[in-house]
PDB file of all heavy atoms in Angstrom:
ATOM      1  N   LEU A 203       3.515 -10.778 -10.372  1.00  0.00           N
ATOM      2  CA  LEU A 203       2.694 -10.951  -9.172  1.00  0.00           C
ATOM      3  C   LEU A 203       1.267 -11.406  -9.464  1.00  0.00           C
ATOM      4  O   LEU A 203       0.665 -12.110  -8.656  1.00  0.00           O
ATOM      5  CB  LEU A 203       2.656  -9.651  -8.365  1.00  0.00           C
ATOM      6  CG  LEU A 203       3.985  -9.195  -7.743  1.00  0.00           C
ATOM      7  CD1 LEU A 203       3.792  -7.906  -6.974  1.00  0.00           C
ATOM      8  CD2 LEU A 203       4.586 -10.265  -6.841  1.00  0.00           C
ATOM      9  N   ALA A 330      -0.359 -11.808   1.818  1.00  0.00           N
ATOM     10  CA  ALA A 330      -0.135 -13.240   2.008  1.00  0.00           C
ATOM     11  C   ALA A 330      -0.213 -13.996   0.688  1.00  0.00           C
ATOM     12  O   ALA A 330       0.619 -14.872   0.402  1.00  0.00           O
ATOM     13  CB  ALA A 330      -1.161 -13.798   2.992  1.00  0.00           C
ATOM     14  N   ALA A 331      -1.201 -13.662  -0.139  1.00  0.00           N
ATOM     15  CA  ALA A 331      -1.366 -14.349  -1.427  1.00  0.00           C
ATOM     16  C   ALA A 331      -0.170 -14.104  -2.333  1.00  0.00           C
ATOM     17  O   ALA A 331       0.334 -15.036  -2.996  1.00  0.00           O
ATOM     18  CB  ALA A 331      -2.654 -13.887  -2.101  1.00  0.00           C
ATOM     19  N   LEU A 332       0.302 -12.859  -2.398  1.00  0.00           N
ATOM     20  CA  LEU A 332       1.451 -12.550  -3.250  1.00  0.00           C
ATOM     21  C   LEU A 332       2.724 -13.188  -2.708  1.00  0.00           C
ATOM     22  O   LEU A 332       3.589 -13.606  -3.482  1.00  0.00           O
ATOM     23  CB  LEU A 332       1.615 -11.034  -3.362  1.00  0.00           C
ATOM     24  CG  LEU A 332       0.465 -10.289  -4.067  1.00  0.00           C
ATOM     25  CD1 LEU A 332       0.759  -8.790  -4.111  1.00  0.00           C
ATOM     26  CD2 LEU A 332       0.224 -10.829  -5.470  1.00  0.00           C
ATOM     27  N   ALA A 333       2.845 -13.263  -1.380  1.00  0.00           N
ATOM     28  CA  ALA A 333       4.011 -13.931  -0.792  1.00  0.00           C
ATOM     29  C   ALA A 333       4.034 -15.407  -1.165  1.00  0.00           C
ATOM     30  O   ALA A 333       5.090 -15.957  -1.504  1.00  0.00           O
ATOM     31  CB  ALA A 333       3.997 -13.769   0.726  1.00  0.00           C
ATOM     32  N   ARG A 334       2.885 -16.051  -1.125  1.00  0.00           N
ATOM     33  CA  ARG A 334       2.832 -17.463  -1.506  1.00  0.00           C
ATOM     34  C   ARG A 334       3.144 -17.645  -2.983  1.00  0.00           C
ATOM     35  O   ARG A 334       3.866 -18.561  -3.369  1.00  0.00           O
ATOM     36  CB  ARG A 334       1.449 -18.048  -1.195  1.00  0.00           C
ATOM     37  CG  ARG A 334       1.138 -18.181   0.280  1.00  0.00           C
ATOM     38  CD  ARG A 334      -0.072 -19.090   0.522  1.00  0.00           C
ATOM     39  NE  ARG A 334      -1.239 -18.624  -0.203  1.00  0.00           N
ATOM     40  CZ  ARG A 334      -2.099 -17.710   0.249  1.00  0.00           C
ATOM     41  NH1 ARG A 334      -1.883 -17.157   1.437  1.00  0.00           N
ATOM     42  NH2 ARG A 334      -3.152 -17.353  -0.446  1.00  0.00           N
ATOM     43  N   ARG A 335       2.629 -16.745  -3.814  1.00  0.00           N
ATOM     44  CA  ARG A 335       2.876 -16.840  -5.255  1.00  0.00           C
ATOM     45  C   ARG A 335       4.357 -16.631  -5.556  1.00  0.00           C
ATOM     46  O   ARG A 335       4.943 -17.328  -6.392  1.00  0.00           O
ATOM     47  CB  ARG A 335       2.031 -15.793  -5.977  1.00  0.00           C
ATOM     48  CG  ARG A 335       1.911 -16.007  -7.468  1.00  0.00           C
ATOM     49  CD  ARG A 335       0.885 -15.050  -8.044  1.00  0.00           C
ATOM     50  NE  ARG A 335      -0.436 -15.292  -7.475  1.00  0.00           N
ATOM     51  CZ  ARG A 335      -1.446 -14.431  -7.550  1.00  0.00           C
ATOM     52  NH1 ARG A 335      -1.282 -13.272  -8.170  1.00  0.00           N
ATOM     53  NH2 ARG A 335      -2.622 -14.728  -7.027  1.00  0.00           N
ATOM     54  N   THR A 336       4.973 -15.681  -4.883  1.00  0.00           N
ATOM     55  CA  THR A 336       6.400 -15.408  -5.073  1.00  0.00           C
ATOM     56  C   THR A 336       7.235 -16.597  -4.640  1.00  0.00           C
ATOM     57  O   THR A 336       8.208 -16.972  -5.293  1.00  0.00           O
ATOM     58  CB  THR A 336       6.816 -14.158  -4.300  1.00  0.00           C
ATOM     59  OG1 THR A 336       6.003 -13.053  -4.725  1.00  0.00           O
ATOM     60  CG2 THR A 336       8.260 -13.831  -4.533  1.00  0.00           C
ATOM     61  N   ARG A 337       6.845 -17.215  -3.516  1.00  0.00           N
ATOM     62  CA  ARG A 337       7.595 -18.361  -3.003  1.00  0.00           C
ATOM     63  C   ARG A 337       7.540 -19.539  -3.964  1.00  0.00           C
ATOM     64  O   ARG A 337       8.534 -20.241  -4.168  1.00  0.00           O
ATOM     65  CB  ARG A 337       7.036 -18.755  -1.631  1.00  0.00           C
ATOM     66  CG  ARG A 337       7.871 -19.823  -0.912  1.00  0.00           C
ATOM     67  CD  ARG A 337       7.308 -20.061   0.468  1.00  0.00           C
ATOM     68  NE  ARG A 337       6.027 -20.693   0.435  1.00  0.00           N
ATOM     69  CZ  ARG A 337       5.016 -20.392   1.252  1.00  0.00           C
ATOM     70  NH1 ARG A 337       5.157 -19.437   2.128  1.00  0.00           N
ATOM     71  NH2 ARG A 337       3.877 -21.035   1.182  1.00  0.00           N
ATOM     72  N   ARG A 338       6.397 -19.755  -4.603  1.00  0.00           N
ATOM     73  CA  ARG A 338       6.264 -20.877  -5.541  1.00  0.00           C
ATOM     74  C   ARG A 338       7.160 -20.708  -6.751  1.00  0.00           C
ATOM     75  O   ARG A 338       7.552 -21.707  -7.366  1.00  0.00           O
ATOM     76  CB  ARG A 338       4.808 -21.018  -5.986  1.00  0.00           C
ATOM     77  CG  ARG A 338       3.879 -21.625  -4.938  1.00  0.00           C
ATOM     78  CD  ARG A 338       2.588 -22.104  -5.565  1.00  0.00           C
ATOM     79  NE  ARG A 338       1.818 -21.021  -6.148  1.00  0.00           N
ATOM     80  CZ  ARG A 338       0.870 -20.353  -5.521  1.00  0.00           C
ATOM     81  NH1 ARG A 338       0.598 -20.630  -4.246  1.00  0.00           N
ATOM     82  NH2 ARG A 338       0.206 -19.378  -6.115  1.00  0.00           N
ATOM     83  N   ARG A 339       7.477 -19.464  -7.103  1.00  0.00           N
ATOM     84  CA  ARG A 339       8.296 -19.240  -8.289  1.00  0.00           C
ATOM     85  C   ARG A 339       9.778 -19.354  -8.007  1.00  0.00           C
ATOM     86  O   ARG A 339      10.586 -19.401  -8.931  1.00  0.00           O
ATOM     87  CB  ARG A 339       8.025 -17.851  -8.868  1.00  0.00           C
ATOM     88  CG  ARG A 339       6.645 -17.672  -9.468  1.00  0.00           C
ATOM     89  CD  ARG A 339       6.650 -16.478 -10.414  1.00  0.00           C
ATOM     90  NE  ARG A 339       7.333 -15.345  -9.826  1.00  0.00           N
ATOM     91  CZ  ARG A 339       6.740 -14.416  -9.082  1.00  0.00           C
ATOM     92  NH1 ARG A 339       5.463 -14.503  -8.829  1.00  0.00           N
ATOM     93  NH2 ARG A 339       7.429 -13.397  -8.589  1.00  0.00           N
ATOM     94  N   ARG A 340      10.161 -19.362  -6.742  1.00  0.00           N
ATOM     95  CA  ARG A 340      11.591 -19.415  -6.416  1.00  0.00           C
ATOM     96  C   ARG A 340      12.177 -20.768  -6.785  1.00  0.00           C
ATOM     97  O   ARG A 340      11.575 -21.807  -6.519  1.00  0.00           O
ATOM     98  CB  ARG A 340      11.808 -19.175  -4.914  1.00  0.00           C
ATOM     99  CG  ARG A 340      11.548 -17.738  -4.474  1.00  0.00           C
ATOM    100  CD  ARG A 340      11.678 -17.636  -2.979  1.00  0.00           C
ATOM    101  NE  ARG A 340      11.249 -16.316  -2.512  1.00  0.00           N
ATOM    102  CZ  ARG A 340      10.839 -16.075  -1.278  1.00  0.00           C
ATOM    103  NH1 ARG A 340      10.778 -17.046  -0.392  1.00  0.00           N
ATOM    104  NH2 ARG A 340      10.476 -14.857  -0.928  1.00  0.00           N
ATOM    105  N   PRO A 341      13.393 -20.783  -7.362  1.00  0.00           N
ATOM    106  CA  PRO A 341      14.030 -22.051  -7.680  1.00  0.00           C
ATOM    107  C   PRO A 341      14.425 -22.795  -6.410  1.00  0.00           C
ATOM    108  O   PRO A 341      14.758 -22.176  -5.395  1.00  0.00           O
ATOM    109  CB  PRO A 341      15.271 -21.650  -8.490  1.00  0.00           C
ATOM    110  CG  PRO A 341      15.549 -20.223  -8.083  1.00  0.00           C
ATOM    111  CD  PRO A 341      14.203 -19.622  -7.769  1.00  0.00           C
ATOM    112  N   GLU A 342      14.317 -24.098  -6.482  1.00  0.00           N
ATOM    113  CA  GLU A 342      14.676 -24.907  -5.309  1.00  0.00           C
ATOM    114  C   GLU A 342      16.187 -24.922  -5.121  1.00  0.00           C
ATOM    115  O   GLU A 342      16.948 -24.856  -6.058  1.00  0.00           O
ATOM    116  CB  GLU A 342      14.170 -26.344  -5.500  1.00  0.00           C
ATOM    117  CG  GLU A 342      12.653 -26.445  -5.573  1.00  0.00           C
ATOM    118  CD  GLU A 342      11.961 -26.001  -4.302  1.00  0.00           C
ATOM    119  OE1 GLU A 342      12.563 -26.166  -3.243  1.00  0.00           O
ATOM    120  OE2 GLU A 342      10.838 -25.476  -4.391  1.00  0.00           O
TER     121      GLU A 342
END
Side-chain angles (χ1 to χ4, degrees):
L203 294 180
L332 295 180
R334 291 195 304 274
R335 195 171 298 164
T336 303
R337 188 175 68 219
R338 285 197 297 267
R339 292 200 315 270
R340 289 175 188 157
E342 296 297 329

